[in-house]
Amino acid sequence: MTTKNNNFLNPVGKSVPRIDGRGLVTGQTKYVFDLKLPGMLIGKMLRSPHPHAKIISIDTSEAEKLPGVKAIITAKDTLGIKFGSNEFFFPQTADQQALEADKVRYIGDEIGAVAAIDEETADKALKLIDVQYEVLPAVFDMIEAIKPGAPQIHNARNNIALILPTNFGNVERALKESDYVREDTFYLPSAAHTCMEPHVCVGQFEDFSEKITLWTSTQAPFKIRETLAKCLKMNLNDVRVIKLAVGGGFGGKLEMLPMDFASCLLSKKAGGYPVKITYSREEEFSFSRRKHPMIYKLKSGVKKDGTLMAISGEVYADGGGYCSYGPTVLAAAMMRIFMVYKISNFRITGYRVYTNNPISGAIRGFGGVQSGFAVESHMDMLAENIGMDPVEFRLKNITTPNMVTTNKMLLTSNGLKECIEKAAVACDWKNKKGKQKNIKRGLGIGIAADVMGSKMYKSHESAGSIIKIEEDASICFLTGAADTGQGSNTALSQIAAQELGVSYERIKITAADTGITPFDTGSFASRVTFISGNATKLAALDAKKQILKVISKERNIPVEDLDIVAEEVINKKTSSVIMTFEKAIELCYSFNYGQQIIGRGSYNPKTTPVDFRTGEGNVSGSYGFEAQIAEVEVNTETGEVKVLRMWDAHDIGKAINPQSVKGQIEGSLFMGIGYTLSENLEFKNGRVVNPNFANYRLPRSVNTCPVESILIETNDPQGPFGAKGMGEAALLPTAAAIANAIHDAVGVRIKELPITPEKILNALKTKNNQE
């Protein structure tokens, strides 16, 4: 093939167009929702109407008689195997069955499924299934749930699924030695992922090979395969999971849901016809996964000079009916602070609590959004109470490059100081902070750090890539990484082209198909650019070495003197061009050599898994940092808050594609604004009461504000071309930055999200009464 665009040479660091852009904007890209297979049936899930009940009996006989019904499954058709998403670290948290047999624990708990010729027939069949329950007392408040005598949801003492202790230094002594100590409690609500594409899957059993294929909208096809194979008791290579284009995941599509299992088992029972199950928007809000509501209690001490002496506290997380990713979400909510602040005396205990609410799981930020609001609001109050500027307070206490934290995290590159300083300069902090109260305007800051490739999966966190070069010098790139809309296929293709020394135009990518592509743990923890990017770089390097070895033999030039740069094989010593890339590939495939070029790369970050008994461990191969500043205007008559502008300075190591980086920052930041000011998944007796976009208040385009993204390139020593992952971190400090700005504007402190006009007005009324 011939290349046409010189701008696509040396693509790393350039805002090249997305590799999938044309398909997306022309509507030609295929999602699982678009999938239509011959003989395809429609599946529906049978759910519990009760938040807590014993299953006495399930009679499907009348539904089976309905014309058009092809298969019905209940727990008796399953092996009764339990699954969980953190069972490698916490085996006891594998607490959910694909179809529950004896008991239901939240409204919507799956107990059966139907496959029929169309949706109407499937709905009718569900209504004909007779389920007899013994309704049990339920508990919906996590503090009530841990009290003695509360309804027992699982076999867990006081409904506490997990206790995570962390204890470093001598907190009591450090608090006594502090000049100032304060305590605060913060309340964080639940929220929904609100992906444009709801959960959808198509399962098909192949009778002659006894293999299963599942097309599903997922962030982690290999993780889905693992759980599906476990629950069906099949070999991994008998289960193929294919990810097509995904319309957003945000953590909600990281794990197998009962619908994935049901579509495959229904297909087997229906004789191999494919079965498609699609969540309605109401099901998506009510029965998929949600953000953990949390109560975050903090008690900290500081010296007059601003030295942070000790932090202690408790974190309670409402997990709902099952564990899902709850244990690691809780751990992340407690331990992110070690990446941000130098703190030697630290003691926080976390409790992940069962309730009869819907299941809490992973969502963008992975607990860091909740802790970000609590910790960064608390830090601002500490600074204020000792009369110190919040920026100066943070600069005094933050972590630095090349240090080991109290809990053994290894921070190499660290641009946090530069992030804070550049954001403060960009917003004119010195001239605005505390000086706009007359016009009800204020500035507030929040800072954060996030993991970029975490060892939170199981014994390894590896990714693999394959670079296959065809006879015409076009390049087939295989990766297990899952692009869910964030543009990772583009960034990985840029890395492959850069390392190989060819044009970005040559790359065609095939991704996230467990039957074809190498293993990859999935798209989460902002890990793809860092981990899958390193695997891709190694695969491209392997392919390049194979090519240069042939050229070396043909031209009798030492291989170490050769390189491929901008589509040409060069002699580095003489700076001369030897041949074009296309001629080099032609030579490799020629009669004399017959050398197919297939490069392989595998990468597993150098980390130390967290010891959850102590909180120690180096969980990530690199860490990203950021500072975010908000400027707001508060209407003291209506309580409305308008975010005027935001500045986000982000340590991303190296921007592989600057435009995509800025897109990720802005998208994440606006998600943070929604959680701060309006989003709240509300419940009444375990039922979601606002399961639609009319009543769940997402920010719209008219609610956005100008964002200045400041990219800090720290050239991470482990990152591909110095890059770190990014995407989630811009969400973490947003709520605190806005809350701190509100306090700067009108002098009131809100400790419960979302910050509604009513809460502002009530706080102003209290403040005025006290003055």
Side-chain angles (χ1 to χ4, degrees):
M1 67 172 288
T2 55
T3 57
K4 302 171 185 175
N5 192 336
N6 286 336
N7 288 331
F8 292 163
L9 297 174
N10 301 312
V12 165
K14 294 180 179 176
S15 296
V16 298
R18 285 180 59 139
I19 204 163
D20 54 355
R22 186 181 294 271
L24 290 170
V25 299
T26 59
Q28 297 176 70
T29 298
K30 298 298 181 191
Y31 297 78
V32 177
F33 184 84
D34 300 316
L35 203 59
K36 293 179 182 175
L37 298 176
M40 193 163 72
L41 304 172
I42 300 300
K44 290 281 184 179
M45 302 303 298
L46 178 65
R47 300 180 181 283
S48 165
H50 305 294
H52 199 197
K54 285 183 181 177
I55 302 170
I56 305 300
S57 64
I58 303 177
D59 183 355
T60 62
S61 57
E62 291 302 313
E64 289 167 5
K65 296 174 188 172
L66 185 69
V69 172
K70 299 298 182 184
I72 298 176
I73 57 171
T74 63
K76 66 180 175 57
D77 298 293
T78 75
L79 298 171
I81 296 172
K82 292 184 176 180
F83 68 96
S85 294
N86 284 149
E87 59 186 290
F88 178 80
F89 298 108
F90 310 100
Q92 76 276 19
T93 65
D95 56 5
Q96 186 178 9
Q97 294 184 42
L99 300 173
E100 294 299 332
D102 304 318
K103 187 177 178 183
V104 291
R105 297 172 176 86
Y106 75 100
I107 294 174
D109 212 346
E110 293 88 349
I111 57 173
V114 170
I117 56 172
D118 55 36
E119 187 171 353
E120 184 181 5
T121 305
D123 282 331
K124 283 182 181 176
L126 288 181
K127 293 174 183 172
L128 292 173
I129 298 175
D130 181 25
V131 186
Q132 296 297 314
Y133 297 95
E134 177 188 338
V135 177
L136 300 172
V139 60
F140 309 106
D141 182 281
M142 60 180 136
I143 300 303
E144 293 298 319
I146 62 176
K147 292 180 179 176
Q152 191 77 18
I153 300 170
H154 287 270
N155 186 25
R157 189 176 181 185
N158 293 337
N159 288 317
I160 298 174
L162 192 76
I163 299 177
L164 287 178
T166 54
N167 192 358
F168 298 96
N170 189 329
V171 170
E172 295 306 324
R173 187 175 69 187
L175 288 173
K176 286 180 182 175
E177 293 173 354
S178 300
D179 294 320
Y180 177 75
V181 176
R182 73 166 293 135
E183 297 182 57
D184 294 295
T185 301
F186 300 89
Y187 300 89
L188 297 310
S190 188
H193 303 81
T194 63
C195 306
M196 288 297 99
E197 179 198 33
H199 282 80
V200 55
C201 66
V202 178
Q204 184 166 27
F205 177 76
E206 195 175 74
D207 190 49
F208 72 91
S209 65
E210 296 193 334
K211 291 184 177 180
I212 276 176
T213 300
L214 176 73
W215 294 263
T216 185
S217 179
T218 178
Q219 298 170 242
F222 288 88
K223 174 68 177 171
I224 302 287
R225 180 184 69 165
E226 178 187 349
T227 313
L228 195 54
K230 175 189 173 183
C231 292
L232 292 168
K233 217 170 183 178
M234 296 176 70
N235 295 324
L236 287 179
N237 63 1
D238 287 332
V239 178
R240 182 181 180 186
V241 177
I242 302 172
K243 181 199 79 71
L244 302 181
V246 173
F250 310 121
K253 296 175 179 175
L254 270 179
E255 57 189 321
M256 186 193 84
L257 295 187
M259 65 184 289
D260 297 307
F261 173 91
S263 67
C264 297
L265 192 57
L266 283 168
S267 174
K268 183 177 182 180
K269 198 166 183 181
Y273 287 105
V275 176
K276 185 176 191 176
I277 302 179
T278 307
Y279 270 12
S280 67
R281 184 56 66 182
E282 183 174 349
E283 286 178 302
E284 188 71 20
F285 271 107
S286 302
F287 310 133
S288 56
R289 294 290 186 266
R290 62 177 182 133
K291 188 190 290 283
H292 284 75
M294 289 188 187
I295 298 173
Y296 216 111
K297 297 182 176 181
L298 289 170
K299 180 179 181 181
S300 303
V302 291
K303 286 285 194 184
K304 288 178 182 175
D305 67 355
T307 303
L308 192 54
M309 295 292 289
I311 298 175
S312 64
E314 294 175 327
V315 183
Y316 297 88
D318 175 1
Y322 299 95
C323 269
S324 178
Y325 273 100
T328 45
V329 168
L330 179 62
M334 295 164 57
M335 297 179 191
R336 270 191 172 88
I337 193 170
F338 288 111
M339 304 174 227
V340 181
Y341 292 104
K342 287 184 288 190
I343 181 72
S344 301
N345 303 295
F346 183 90
R347 184 185 63 224
I348 286 186
T349 304
Y351 304 88
R352 212 275 185 174
V353 181
Y354 287 123
T355 67
N356 292 116
N357 291 315
I359 306 168
S360 302
I363 186 170
R364 202 176 196 183
F366 216 76
V369 179
Q370 296 95 317
S371 64
F373 173 65
V375 171
E376 286 304 300
S377 296
H378 185 66
M379 292 298 163
D380 236 54
M381 288 184 269
L382 286 169
E384 182 192 13
N385 293 139
I386 59 170
M388 195 168 183
D389 180 87
V391 165
E392 295 302 319
F393 179 80
R394 287 171 171 85
L395 286 172
K396 184 174 182 63
N397 289 293
I398 57 172
T399 56
T400 55
N402 302 312
M403 67 168 282
V404 178
T405 67
T406 299
N407 70 329
K408 309 297 185 194
M409 290 178 170
L410 175 60
L411 309 183
T412 53
S413 65
N414 181 343
L416 184 52
K417 179 173 183 287
E418 195 175 357
C419 288
I420 295 173
E421 291 175 340
K422 290 205 169 183
V425 170
C427 75
D428 197 16
W429 179 270
K430 287 185 177 178
N431 292 317
K432 288 184 177 178
K433 171 66 178 167
K435 298 170 184 172
Q436 303 181 95
K437 294 182 187 297
N438 60 322
I439 53 174
K440 316 298 183 192
R441 287 186 178 183
L443 282 182
I445 186 171
I447 62 176
D450 205 2
V451 296
M452 303 300 155
S454 64
K455 190 156 277 186
M456 303 286 270
Y457 172 61
K458 52 181 188 178
S459 61
H460 69 94
E461 188 67 30
S462 68
S465 292
I466 293 174
I467 300 286
K468 183 162 66 86
I469 304 180
E470 308 291 0
E471 290 174 85
D472 64 352
S474 61
I475 297 169
C476 178
F477 169 31
L478 302 175
T479 173
D483 191 331
T484 58
Q486 78 273 40
S488 63
N489 281 353
T490 301
L492 296 180
S493 298
Q494 289 179 257
I495 289 170
Q498 182 80 25
E499 182 61 36
L500 200 48
V502 302
S503 171
Y504 168 71
E505 287 176 289
R506 291 191 182 277
I507 310 288
K508 298 295 180 187
I509 188 168
T510 298
D513 179 339
T514 65
I516 298 175
T517 60
F519 179 89
D520 192 293
T521 50
S523 186
F524 59 92
S526 300
R527 61 177 294 284
V528 176
T529 298
F530 183 77
I531 296 182
S532 307
N534 267 316
T536 300
K537 189 170 184 287
L538 290 170
L541 178 63
D542 184 34
K544 183 163 71 172
K545 284 180 177 177
Q546 294 175 40
I547 298 167
L548 296 181
K549 193 174 178 182
V550 171
I551 306 299
S552 170
K553 190 172 182 180
E554 176 71 13
R555 295 298 180 91
N556 197 26
I557 302 172
V559 70
E560 58 269 22
D561 292 346
L562 297 173
D563 200 359
I564 303 173
V565 178
E567 293 271 318
E568 293 173 329
V569 180
I570 63 167
N571 185 324
K572 292 186 286 186
K573 272 193 171 179
T574 62
S575 298
S576 58
V577 175
I578 297 173
M579 65 180 69
T580 66
F581 179 73
E582 290 186 0
K583 285 292 182 187
I585 299 303
E586 188 178 316
L587 181 64
C588 291
Y589 273 94
S590 67
F591 182 77
N592 285 343
Y593 297 99
Q595 174 75 52
Q596 291 193 32
I597 306 299
I598 303 173
R600 298 174 178 82
S602 174
Y603 183 76
N604 190 41
K606 297 173 183 174
T607 58
T608 307
V610 173
D611 183 340
F612 290 101
R613 295 166 300 181
T614 63
E616 288 187 351
N618 183 36
V619 69
S620 179
S622 74
Y623 298 88
F625 300 86
E626 73 165 322
Q628 203 169 85
I629 293 177
E631 184 170 19
V632 306
E633 184 176 81
V634 182
N635 185 326
T636 54
E637 298 295 323
T638 65
E640 291 181 356
V641 175
K642 183 176 183 181
V643 182
L644 300 173
R645 191 176 186 87
M646 295 202 71
W647 295 263
D648 184 287
H650 214 108
D651 168 15
I652 40 80
K654 168 72 177 176
I656 300 295
N657 187 315
Q659 189 175 44
S660 284
V661 169
K662 291 179 181 178
Q664 282 292 294
I665 290 173
E666 292 183 13
S668 203
L669 189 152
F670 290 130
M671 202 169 180
I673 291 177
Y675 187 58
T676 307
L677 297 178
S678 62
E679 290 186 54
N680 184 4
L681 195 63
E682 299 178 79
F683 303 87
K684 184 176 181 181
N685 296 330
R687 187 182 301 280
V688 177
V689 298
N690 54 343
N692 51 64
F693 285 125
N695 295 305
Y696 184 87
R697 296 182 58 214
L698 275 178
R700 298 185 296 169
S701 58
V702 294
N703 305 118
T704 60
C705 64
V707 175
E708 184 174 337
S709 299
I710 303 164
L711 306 186
I712 309 294
E713 295 193 328
T714 51
N715 190 25
D716 189 83
Q718 302 296 324
F721 300 106
K724 303 178 181 183
M726 61 86 54
E728 291 187 79
L731 180 65
L732 309 185
T734 308
I738 293 172
N740 294 340
I742 291 169
H743 179 263
D744 187 46
V746 294
V748 299
R749 178 66 66 177
I750 309 296
K751 298 181 185 177
E752 179 180 2
L753 296 182
I755 302 175
T756 60
E758 292 76 17
K759 290 175 186 170
I760 294 280
L761 291 176
N762 287 336
L764 285 170
K765 186 178 178 182
T766 302
K767 174 174 172 277
N768 292 335
N769 288 339
Q770 292 173 345
E771 290 178 350

